[in-house]
Amino acid sequence: MNRTQAALNALPSDLINKLCRSKVTRLSLKQMYTLGRHVLESKNQGALAIPAVFLHQELPIRLSHALKMLNSNMLPINMQDMPNFQQIARSYLEDISMVTQMPKPSTPKLEEEFTALLRNLEQRHKIKILAISRGFRELMDNLQQQSMGSDVNGDNPSLFYHNGKGWAIDPEADKAIQTFFNRFYTINLGTRLLIGEHLALHDRGLNLVHRVNPLSISQSAIRDAQKVCAAHYGQAAPSVLIHTPNPDITTTYVEEFLHRNIYELLKNAMRATCETHLDKGAPVSLGLSSSTTKASKSKLPPIKLILVDGGEDVTIKISDEGGGMALSEMDKIWSYVHSGGCPSLRQQPSRTLNYEVPKVTTTTTPYQPLAPNTSTLHKADVSMTETTSRSMLQPADSMTVMGGLASEAKDYLDLPLSGSGHGLPLARLIARYFGGDLSLISMEGYGTDSYLSLYRDDNHLENFPEVDEEMAAEVDVFVNDLLEEQQQQRAHTQSVDIKKTSIQPETIKTAAAAAAAIASATVATAL
């Protein structure tokens, strides 16, 4: 009996149906922060039972919503019919079974056992998300190759078509794919946050949700982005000039979410700047920012990061002089199919390099606003220290932000500078999860401005998508098909067992006759 069959046997027949039709309990940053502080300040192991009991009840519902998405008909392609995706759906079923079969973790001992299960689920979840992301990209590559091998005039219907300039995906199909993955990744983002919060409380004694200082996180993201950029191009990365009227801004947020988004935007800005202003590794002077480039070892135009504390939002603006992109290309940066196919943000396969990261000193010279007297300028010195070389791991994927939240390692820092997958679409989902947003404005021929907003109201609930009744019915079909397959396997096994039983006497007679013949031959020889 395989694990999926065991999971089905352990689940009550109507449980999946009930879970699929149950509503999730949306949480706010304030609720997560308050509960986490209560657990940490109580200094009582029994306090961990409170979030554990909630997770024990909530996780099966959230996992069932992911299962519904995998069995929906939202996609214009039959991913749900592919063996790999069927296996991923079965893995979600196994996860639901494991959680529901675990006793309610209301005691310290049961909470320890439940936490061990959460560690297992965290790793399983990471594998599933990576498998879905890579499987989808491989499927798109195969479909595009098939389209390129067919008649350009479009005699064979396909998701891809030739628009006279090159191959493009059907807009309606692209929109359907984007809607599906936006909902699916958002569901998994929230699920992973809850698991990661509990593991962080239990294993590391800290909150993932806490009061954060965006300036400090920005400085850390700058150093990390510069390391990756310097390793990719083998020379100093562009400097970053920080301007903020208030360096002591704080807000309630998930530190890793903020770091990951700022890092993603900086990485794209640095890559666009380098590819626009470097010619075979040598700086090309375009007469841009000549007055400020002297402040850095890099001769490339600096990137500007402006951090502002508004009444409703905390906003981070990142501006580059990386050439910008055409207005017609802007929608493609949010597409899971194009995966950053625009000139300044395109994600081509990167070189696998092992450069020793050079020392780069980033200084922030005063960046003059339009009204110099209306704010004070924060002058930060972000210096890169000696580091060991970081191997640029090709197999990594931008979806790793959804795994390992509870650990100290940031897996996405091991991604190459480009070609790592759904970086910007996922960054926008993260920004919107608690009421914020991410938007880009580009000036073709000059550069791009990115605006990352954090909503200050920490009572805002998770942006967890609802899944309709039609999808729940499709999960019923999926589970019923598995049950039917299981019954057929049982019938086949029983048939084989009966056949083995029926031939056993004959087999014994044959063996006995053979033994008698051998004995007779032995006696004859002896005589």
Side-chain angles (χ1 to χ4, degrees), residues 469-519:
E469 286 292 319
E470 183 181 350
M471 293 185 188
E474 289 164 356
V475 174
D476 290 342
V477 173
F478 167 72
V479 174
N480 289 334
D481 288 345
L482 285 180
L483 288 171
E484 184 178 346
E485 177 185 334
Q486 182 179 343
Q487 291 173 353
Q488 291 175 352
Q489 289 180 351
R490 283 179 179 173
H492 175 71
T493 302
Q494 291 174 354
S495 174
V496 171
D497 291 341
I498 293 174
K499 187 175 181 180
K500 288 181 179 179
T501 303
S502 64
I503 66 173
Q504 187 174 4
E506 189 66 33
T507 303
I508 294 175
K509 290 180 181 179
T510 303
I518 293 173

Side-chain angles (χ1 to χ4, degrees), residues 352-369:
T352 303
L353 301 175
N354 250 333
Y355 284 114
E356 188 75 19
V357 180
K359 262 193 172 183
V360 179
T361 301
T362 304
T363 59
T364 58
T365 57
Y367 170 61
Q368 300 298 331

Side-chain angles (χ1 to χ4, degrees), residues 11-316:
L11 288 172
S13 58
D14 62 340
L15 180 59
I16 295 295
N17 186 289
K18 290 180 179 178
L19 290 173
C20 286
R21 287 169 170 78
S22 299
K23 291 185 178 294
V24 302
T25 303
R26 291 181 171 89
L27 299 179
S28 68
L29 287 169
K30 184 176 182 179
Q31 289 173 320
M32 293 183 190
Y33 174 73
T34 302
L35 180 58
R37 295 313 305 167
H38 169 74
V39 170
L40 296 177
E41 291 172 1
S42 67
K43 300 186 183 301
N44 181 3
Q45 188 72 13
L48 283 166
I50 300 174
V53 169
F54 171 75
L55 275 179
H56 182 266
Q57 177 180 342
E58 182 70 11
L59 278 182
I61 298 174
R62 297 195 177 213
L63 292 171
S64 70
H65 279 235
L67 183 62
K68 281 191 285 187
M69 288 299 300
L70 287 177
N71 287 276
S72 71
N73 292 321
M74 291 180 62
L75 286 172
I77 47 179
N78 295 324
M79 281 205 318
Q80 64 268 30
D81 295 334
M82 297 174 60
N84 288 343
F85 285 91
Q86 290 178 356
Q87 186 58 43
I88 292 169
R90 294 180 181 186
S91 179
Y92 274 103
L93 194 62
E94 294 164 12
D95 292 348
I96 295 170
S97 178
M98 286 190 288
V99 176
T100 54
Q101 293 307 303
M102 177 75 68
K104 182 185 295 185
S106 54
T107 66
K109 183 177 183 300
L110 290 175
E111 187 275 330
E112 286 285 349
E113 295 176 0
F114 183 68
T115 301
L117 172 62
L118 292 181
R119 295 191 191 99
N120 182 25
L121 291 179
E122 181 184 51
Q123 294 304 313
R124 287 170 59 88
H125 178 273
K126 183 176 179 178
I127 292 171
K128 284 194 282 284
I129 294 298
L130 288 172
I132 289 174
S133 175
R134 293 173 182 173
F136 172 74
R137 289 205 302 270
E138 291 173 4
L139 176 61
M140 289 294 99
D141 289 343
N142 290 336
L143 290 175
Q144 187 172 3
Q145 290 297 326
Q146 292 174 11
S147 299
M148 293 172 65
S150 63
D151 187 359
V152 175
N153 294 325
D155 293 339
N156 297 322
S158 172
L159 289 179
F160 295 91
Y161 68 96
H162 199 280
N163 59 11
K165 298 179 180 179
W167 289 94
I169 188 171
D170 176 72
E172 290 301 317
D174 192 17
K175 183 178 180 181
I177 291 170
Q178 185 172 334
T179 300
F180 172 86
F181 278 104
N182 281 347
R183 297 177 73 173
F184 179 76
Y185 286 149
T186 301
I187 288 172
N188 285 277
L189 183 66
T191 303
R192 273 296 303 113
L193 177 59
L194 293 186
I195 294 176
E197 173 74 3
H198 186 82
L199 292 180
L201 289 170
H202 185 282
D203 296 344
R204 298 166 58 197
L206 56 82
N207 284 63
L208 289 182
V209 180
H210 60 96
R211 299 293 295 179
V212 301
N213 176 247
L215 175 61
S216 175
I217 296 173
S218 296
Q219 291 169 330
S220 173
I222 289 169
R223 288 190 291 267
D224 292 330
Q226 285 177 324
K227 290 176 186 178
V228 174
C229 183
H232 186 87
Y233 292 103
Q235 65 177 56
S239 62
V240 179
L241 310 181
I242 301 176
H243 164 62
T244 178
N246 179 13
D248 299 320
I249 299 172
T250 60
T251 188
T252 304
Y253 205 65
V254 183
E255 180 174 343
E256 182 152 333
F257 281 2
L258 182 55
H259 182 282
R260 186 249 184 246
N261 276 6
I262 297 174
Y263 170 80
E264 179 69 28
L265 296 175
L266 287 168
K267 189 178 66 168
N268 284 331
M270 290 179 185
R271 180 172 185 265
T273 299
C274 289
E275 296 200 352
T276 299
H277 297 273
L278 290 179
D279 180 22
K280 299 181 179 179
V284 176
S285 176
L286 299 184
L288 302 175
S289 298
S290 58
S291 61
T292 55
T293 51
K294 296 178 181 178
S296 170
K297 289 184 179 180
S298 174
K299 296 182 179 180
L300 297 169
I303 294 164
K304 302 177 184 69
L305 188 151
I306 303 174
L307 173 61
V308 179
D309 183 14
E312 186 173 297
D313 305 305
V314 173
T315 304
I316 299 169

